Amino acid sequence: MKISIVVGDITRQKTGAIIVGLFEGKKILDSPVVILDKALRSVISRLIKSGQIKGKLDEINIIHSLGELPADRVVVVGMGKKKDFTTDRIRGAFAEVCRQLKKQRVNDITIVADGVGINAITMEDSIQAMTEGTLLGLYSFRKYMSGIEDKPIDIKKMTIVADRKANIPLVENGSRRGRILAEAAILARDMVNEPANYMTPTDMAEVAVRVAREHGLELTVLDEKEMQKLGMGALLGVAQGSCQEPKFIILGYNGRNSDEIDITLVGKGITFDSGGISIKPSSRMEEMKTDMAGGAAIMAAMTAIAQLKLRINVTAMIPAVENLPGGAALKPGDVLKAITGKTIEIITTDAEGRLILADALGYANMLKAKRIIDVATLTGACQVALGSICTGVFGNDQELLDGIIAAGDIAGEPMWQMPMYDEYKEQNKSDIADIKNAAKGGAGAITAAQFLAVFAGNTPWVHLDIAGTSFADKERKYYTKGATGVPVRTLVNLIMAISDRK
Ligand code: BES
Ligand code: ZN
Ligand code: ZN
């Protein structure tokens, strides 16, 4: 989508639709609604008076201008009560409106730079949110649909009208940031929506090559032999049941002049999780192509970090592996040795995420990461506990935990901290090895996190379980059905906050 920024009078804009927000229960209209109302001979205020327009959250009224304005339509979108106003409401409302306008075959929209100071939301933030909501809400994945007669037209152009020249830099920054974040989330969505036969570990490494080239990132891809040399026995154990070669993808971004790695991102990259020998039920197994959503999210976050030129050093590690029950597959009862030397008894080959992450976390520590954040579609238990609304957050460092929760809040990607009492460690004890990969006794999301904690060691570490949040069963807010791109924007927000503190 082309985004252009102009200074001027909105009543002079020739466009398919001007979109403006309206709070619930407001008697006096603010600009820009008041200006449009005047140009439309008080149609808006009359509709408010008659009760047709209430301003309730996400209520949409499309008013055809019938020649009263150069714009074909004015869309009044309800923002709910002013006291509850958030940037996430802006994102949601814009997504909703743009989807409706797309259905009406509108192909260019105009928005107005406004919303300064309401609940401490700056103009920059509100423009960012409008841009994110529009781009994320209009997303679709139609790559494999052929011969569709009635392809919906996309909204191709968005014009942002600023009232004054002085506001242009703010508007530019907001829309640029919004675009970078939305495009990063969309890259993650595209990777996750891709069928597993087109997103193998090798394909993931190819995406990394493209991303590294486009954004000037350092790239290393370890192959099976190199992983063997490093002693990544847990990861290789998972890989041995598939014909697809595993890849360990490492992307590096250096934003400050130092060898230190300020933060290491680790993402689960199981390109398909059949469960292995502990095979999953066939119902909904196709959804397990999304088991690389953590890896996709961190790869996508790196593209945003590079474009925003943050002054921080970040390394991303993506163990990419397919979990299949081939003839050479890992079996329940087997024992594997991870990169740290710890031995792991396999209880179920379906708890494979923690195995590949064990080696990745161990490797992150070998490279002396100062902080680690891992992102994984790790447990069905987390989905049961928190549904599709909140990501489960676990860790060993409250400062980093608070940072990620705050970053999630800004992104509109809620994060819920789960308990990590020592008592839960008991459930991971093995009779024959140092630890086992699946526990009895409930709290499956926590025992999985406790398993990872062993490999994270003393490094400040946070684990995000996105099993429930990486994929949407239905359209909601600015999510379309399918991959959500969670938690790309949260990760970028967090890294922005950490880099600002330096
Ligand atoms: N990839 C799954 C977790 C998952 C479930 C992600 C639903 C997305 C939606 C993971 O590898 C898995 O199979 N976990 C098992 C662990 C158990 C066997 C200890 C689970 O959660 O059932
Ligand atoms: Zn599994
Ligand atoms: Zn899995």
Side-chain angles (χ1 to χ4, degrees):
M1 183 185 295
K2 188 174 173 302
I3 302 178
S4 54
I5 299 164
V6 300
V7 180
D9 176 355
I10 44 159
T11 60
R12 299 250 178 97
Q13 289 297 314
K14 178 136 187 51
T15 176
I18 297 171
I19 306 168
V20 287
L22 182 79
F23 290 117
E24 189 178 340
K26 286 271 289 182
K27 296 264 151 39
I28 302 156
L29 298 178
D30 298 321
S31 93
V33 183
V34 71
I35 302 166
L36 293 166
D37 185 45
K38 207 180 262 169
L40 289 172
R41 301 176 194 233
S42 311
V43 166
I44 301 174
S45 47
R46 279 188 277 157
L47 288 171
I48 292 173
K49 216 169 264 163
S50 73
Q52 164 66 31
I53 298 180
K54 293 193 178 68
K56 283 199 182 305
L57 186 60
D58 292 345
E59 163 202 279
I60 295 171
N61 278 286
I62 300 178
I63 301 162
H64 292 263
S65 69
L66 305 175
E68 302 283 348
L69 279 173
D72 297 333
R73 304 163 186 78
V74 171
V75 183
V76 182
V77 53
M79 297 304 313
K81 299 235 165 70
K82 194 168 180 174
K83 68 171 176 46
D84 301 326
F85 189 51
T86 59
T87 50
D88 210 47
R89 289 196 162 185
I90 303 180
R91 280 184 212 106
F94 272 77
E96 210 57 67
V97 168
C98 290
R99 281 196 290 250
Q100 280 222 17
L101 291 174
K102 180 174 161 177
K103 276 184 208 145
Q104 299 202 0
R105 301 185 171 263
V106 171
N107 48 36
D108 83 291
I109 58 170
T110 295
I111 65 177
V112 189
D114 207 345
V116 203
I118 301 162
N119 297 1
I121 296 168
T122 62
M123 181 178 291
E124 201 170 338
D125 289 346
S126 77
I127 293 294
Q128 179 183 336
M130 289 177 195
T131 313
E132 282 177 28
T134 301
L135 296 176
L136 293 171
L138 287 173
Y139 173 80
S140 67
F141 187 80
R142 292 195 301 249
K143 197 172 163 185
Y144 296 102
M145 289 179 175
S146 55
I148 294 178
E149 301 298 301
D150 193 26
K151 270 199 180 149
I153 308 175
D154 283 325
I155 297 179
K156 294 193 185 73
K157 191 173 161 225
M158 170 158 118
T159 306
I160 309 173
V161 181
D163 56 341
R164 284 181 289 141
K165 211 171 168 191
N167 284 334
I168 292 275
L170 293 176
V171 174
E172 267 171 3
N173 281 343
S175 79
R176 179 167 174 271
R177 196 180 265 192
R179 178 196 273 278
I180 290 171
L181 286 170
E183 283 178 352
I186 284 170
L187 170 64
R189 288 182 183 180
D190 276 342
M191 289 176 76
V192 174
N193 284 331
E194 197 69 52
N197 58 328
Y198 289 103
M199 192 48 66
T200 63
T202 305
D203 293 320
M204 267 190 110
E206 271 166 28
V207 178
V209 170
R210 200 190 74 216
V211 158
R213 200 182 299 136
E214 267 172 34
H215 301 286
L217 300 167
E218 284 166 24
L219 172 69
T220 312
V221 180
L222 306 179
D223 62 17
E224 208 165 343
K225 273 212 185 90
E226 290 162 304
M227 288 187 252
Q228 253 155 14
K229 243 189 241 153
L230 283 164
M232 294 184 170
L235 184 159
L236 292 168
V238 178
Q240 77 198 27
S242 167
C243 297
Q244 294 294 338
E245 257 220 57
K247 302 283 175 194
F248 195 99
I249 303 162
I250 307 163
L251 285 164
Y253 168 75
N254 267 51
R256 67 184 188 100
N257 213 351
S258 154
D259 288 339
E260 282 183 322
I261 304 175
D262 297 310
I263 186 152
T264 299
L265 303 174
V266 174
K268 174 175 172 181
I270 294 291
T271 58
F272 188 73
D273 183 11
S274 70
I277 292 295
S278 316
I279 199 158
K280 286 182 180 293
S282 54
S283 157
R284 300 185 72 167
M285 201 204 268
E286 72 282 2
E287 285 178 13
M288 284 300 120
K289 70 171 186 180
T290 68
D291 213 17
M292 34 59 76
I298 68 161
M299 205 187 285
M302 292 300 276
T303 67
I305 292 161
Q307 290 177 80
L308 293 168
K309 298 198 166 53
L310 302 181
R311 292 167 163 276
I312 190 165
N313 293 345
V314 187
T315 299
M317 294 185 181
I318 303 146
V321 185
E322 191 177 58
N323 187 23
L324 285 190
L330 182 68
K331 305 173 293 299
D334 286 358
V335 171
L336 300 174
K337 190 185 228 168
I339 194 167
T340 58
K342 281 227 171 339
T343 56
I344 307 165
E345 180 191 6
I346 305 305
I347 300 300
T348 163
T349 63
D350 197 11
E352 82 299 333
R354 65 197 79 181
L355 296 174
I356 66 168
L357 292 175
D359 280 334
L361 293 170
Y363 193 51
N365 274 327
M366 273 169 64
L367 299 187
K368 300 210 167 18
K370 282 205 293 192
R371 309 172 180 87
I372 305 176
I373 297 180
D374 82 68
V375 185
T377 45
L378 202 65
T379 64
C382 196
Q383 194 177 22
V384 170
L386 301 173
S388 60
I389 307 297
C390 289
T391 294
V393 183
F394 311 74
N396 60 10
D397 183 274
Q398 199 54 46
E399 197 186 328
L400 195 55
L401 284 158
D402 290 342
I404 199 92
I405 293 165
D409 199 41
I410 294 168
E413 297 177 336
M415 305 275 147
W416 193 260
Q417 187 175 345
M418 302 286 267
M420 286 285 272
Y421 294 114
D422 282 345
E423 282 85 340
Y424 288 110
K425 292 181 186 163
E426 206 53 39
Q427 287 167 252
N428 284 334
K429 282 201 173 139
S430 161
D431 292 332
I432 73 156
D434 297 333
I435 194 166
K436 62 183 179 186
N437 81 331
K440 282 206 186 77
I446 301 170
T447 54
Q450 287 289 13
F451 179 98
L452 298 179
V454 171
F455 297 90
N458 294 325
T459 310
W461 155 80
V462 164
H463 156 62
L464 304 179
D465 193 332
I466 56 166
T469 51
S470 58
F471 192 80
D473 284 332
K474 56 175 177 22
E475 196 174 277
R476 186 173 71 84
K477 299 207 291 188
Y478 35 86
Y479 302 124
T480 47
K481 201 171 164 183
T484 59
V486 171
V488 173
R489 291 177 303 112
T490 298
L491 292 172
V492 181
N493 284 343
L494 175 75
I495 289 166
M496 242 183 307
I498 294 176
S499 68
D500 284 348
R501 258 187 272 144
K502 282 220 172 58

